[in-house]
Amino acid sequence: MTAIPYDRRSRRTLTVRPAGPGDAADICALLNAVDVIEIGRPETDLSAVEADLHHPDIDLAKDSWLAFEGGRLVAHAQVWADSGPGRVDSEHCVLPGHRAAGVRLLELMEIRARELTAGAREPLLRLQLSAEPVLDPDVLPGRGYRRVRHYQVMTRSVSAADPPPAPPEGLVLRDCAADPADRRRAHALVEDAFAAHFGHVDRPYEAWLDHLGARALDWSLVWIASLPGSGDVGVLLTRDDRTSMAWVSHLGVRAGLRGRGIGGFLLRHAFAAYAARGRDTVGLGVDTRNETGALALYEAHGMRLHHAVDTWELSLHSRG
């Protein structure tokens, strides 16, 4: 544990230590406090925080930090390197009015990220923040970060007015609950459909499961679409483990078969499936520069902006 004086006028002291599994509830409360400020509502689930703290590629003693002021948790950060050589992903959260705590955790993230990418030709640290973050707007550009992507989290209300849609001619939909081999087919379809997407990482099946947190995934909520003569053409991977909404993690159609109504059908199927489960909202995230037209597809089916997220990158050669 380190203690660092950082505000001479108030004589406040910043204390930093690694996170542990027992900190999950406090981290969740911090994240929700920031959620309320940034997007107007708390949306972080304790189970998600617990899963992050048990991520198989994180050594909490080296890869996580909590910052306290007067015994109060004011900032949290975490890094992990499961996206291939040269890239480290991260989470960073700080309460407003605690700039020094936020900056200190950025410093520690960057030091650790350089250790994790030692020897890489183009080492990067990647961070996602609300498009209107509580972090002072000059902090990231001042440290060499650049904004590289803008995402929308979109939602749509669902109800009994969303009956199961009629499929395109010949299309058959099956879930992945009964046949374990279908789970590998779902993985292959995700890899195929998302191969050209920004930030996509080609992961072997077992690594993909770990990244997805799929050990606890309900495979009856993952579907594969097939067409005669074309085989498996699309995948819809959803999950029902968020408090605020059902979530579409992946909706993908093989490149040569787009434009046939398959994506729209899969999206409407998700609406109907979750309405039948008693859910009232379905959400997903979309890259606004996605070249497949995903944003327009979601808007055409009634999905609207919930909040926005920016991806920032730091070249780890920029400081040393």
Side-chain angles (χ1 to χ4, degrees), residues 38-39 89-92 125-137 140-141 145-153 198 285-289 305 307-314:
E38 292 180 338
I39 63 175
D89 294 290
S90 65
E91 178 178 69
H92 181 279
L125 175 61
R126 187 169 288 172
L127 171 65
Q128 286 195 328
L129 290 178
S130 167
E132 298 182 6
V134 299
L135 187 66
D136 293 339
L140 292 180
Y145 290 80
R146 62 188 186 97
R147 188 187 288 109
V148 295
R149 222 66 177 187
H150 184 74
Y151 292 84
Q152 289 189 9
V153 175
F198 173 81
V286 59
D287 179 353
T288 58
R289 290 166 56 187
L305 175 66
H307 64 89
V309 176
D310 289 330
T311 296
W312 294 79
E313 279 186 353
L314 175 69

Side-chain angles (χ1 to χ4, degrees), residues 48-279:
V49 177
E50 291 172 336
D52 286 345
L53 291 174
H54 288 89
H55 193 292
D57 293 294
I58 290 177
D59 178 347
L60 290 178
K62 298 179 179 180
D63 301 333
S64 69
W65 302 272
L66 301 178
F68 297 85
E69 179 195 328
R72 180 192 182 196
L73 179 63
V74 298
H76 161 65
Q78 189 164 297
V79 298
W80 58 95
D82 70 342
S83 299
R87 173 175 152 189
V88 174
D89 294 290
S90 65
E91 178 178 69
H92 181 279
C93 175
V94 61
L95 290 174
H98 298 277
R99 178 187 178 102
V103 169
R104 179 56 182 156
L105 295 198
L106 285 170
E107 292 171 349
L108 293 169
M109 287 164 49
E110 293 160 15
I111 291 169
R112 179 59 175 154
R114 288 189 174 90
E115 293 174 354
L116 291 169
T117 58
R121 292 183 60 186
E122 297 182 1
L124 289 173
L125 175 61
R126 187 169 288 172
L127 171 65
Q128 286 195 328
L129 290 178
S130 167
E132 298 182 6
V134 299
L135 187 66
D136 293 339
D138 64 308
V139 169
L140 292 180
R143 299 190 64 79
Y145 290 80
R146 62 188 186 97
R147 188 187 288 109
V148 295
R149 222 66 177 187
H150 184 74
Y151 292 84
Q152 289 189 9
V153 175
M154 307 184 75
T155 59
R156 183 185 185 276
S157 298
V158 297
S159 68
D162 293 293
E169 184 176 359
L171 187 140
V172 176
L173 199 63
R174 68 185 189 276
D175 68 47
C176 296
D179 186 355
D182 273 340
R183 302 170 191 182
R184 291 184 176 273
R185 295 186 185 105
H187 164 252
L189 285 164
V190 167
E191 294 298 320
D192 186 341
F194 288 86
H197 286 214
F198 173 81
H200 176 72
V201 177
D202 185 7
R203 292 184 174 91
Y205 179 68
E206 295 295 335
W208 178 71
L209 290 181
D210 286 336
H211 176 78
L212 197 63
R215 305 298 179 181
L217 192 67
D218 182 347
W219 288 99
S220 71
L221 299 174
V222 180
W223 293 273
I224 291 173
S226 61
L227 281 172
S230 298
D232 296 333
V233 297
V235 60
L236 173 63
L237 194 158
T238 75
R239 50 199 317 153
D240 199 14
D241 53 0
R242 296 188 178 202
T243 300
S244 58
M245 66 187 74
W247 189 254
V248 176
S249 296
H250 295 82
L251 191 164
V253 178
R254 285 166 43 198
L257 293 155
R258 293 169 187 157
R260 302 188 185 187
I262 299 169
F265 166 76
L266 291 174
L267 185 61
R268 294 193 304 275
H269 177 79
F271 297 158
Y274 280 103
R277 290 174 67 89
R279 282 294 208 168

Side-chain angles (χ1 to χ4, degrees), residues 31-45:
L31 293 171
N32 274 319
V34 173
D35 284 347
V36 170
I37 296 166
E38 292 180 338
I39 63 175
R41 62 193 74 82
E43 291 203 341
T44 303
D45 290 322

